[in-house]
Amino acid sequence: MKTLSRIIFGIAATLLLRSPLAYAHSGKTDANGCHTVKKTGEYHCHEGSGTAKSAKIEAKTSARTDARGTASIFCGANTYNCSDFSTHAEAQSVYETCLQETGKDVHGLDGDDDGSACEDLP
């Protein structure tokens, strides 16, 4: 009976560790432990040891994310929600870009159809 319990436990542990839930992403990070999020185009980092390295990573993150500008906005499907933005201006920019590109509010950011996206954001 103990052997059967150990086998079942071993199988369960193996399945759990091999599960997609055990991994945040594929692990394709650069030398700084950073990567670009395909969905948003944001460049971000998972680790930073030491203040100099953290400052360097922060500068790279900011520069790469800012450099993407509107080029990273995806208008082909409903992929953004108001919670994806920190400010109304960011949401409005995506709303206007996609409205111009597709002719409609692809992401549903303007719930009341008044031309203003994510009005509750600062």
Side-chain angles (χ1 to χ4, degrees):
M1 189 67 169
K2 278 187 177 183
T3 305
L4 181 61
S5 295
R6 287 182 183 174
I7 291 172
I8 292 173
F9 177 77
I11 291 171
T14 301
L15 291 174
L16 181 62
L17 291 174
R18 296 181 60 94
S19 163
L21 299 175
Y23 306 101
H25 55 75
S26 63
K28 295 181 181 176
T29 57
D30 61 18
N32 296 314
C34 307
H35 66 104
T36 302
V37 179
K38 288 181 184 177
K39 181 177 177 182
T40 64
E42 175 195 11
Y43 178 78
H44 78 269
C45 305
H46 292 269
E47 294 182 32
S49 58
T51 55
K53 186 174 182 181
S54 294
K56 183 178 177 182
I57 290 171
E58 181 61 34
K60 278 186 176 181
T61 300
S62 179
R64 289 185 184 177
T65 300
D66 292 346
R68 295 196 187 311
T70 58
S72 67
I73 296 173
F74 179 70
C75 300
N78 182 1
T79 55
Y80 300 110
N81 295 310
C82 289
S83 60
D84 294 323
F85 305 101
S86 352
T87 65
H88 165 73
E90 290 174 351
Q92 188 70 27
S93 174
V94 169
Y95 168 76
E96 290 173 0
T97 299
C98 290
L99 187 63
Q100 184 176 26
E101 189 176 305
T102 66
K104 60 183 178 180
D105 181 12
V106 177
H107 307 293
L109 299 176
D110 180 16
D112 57 3
D113 294 323
D114 67 349
S116 184
C118 303
E119 297 168 280
D120 293 337
L121 291 174

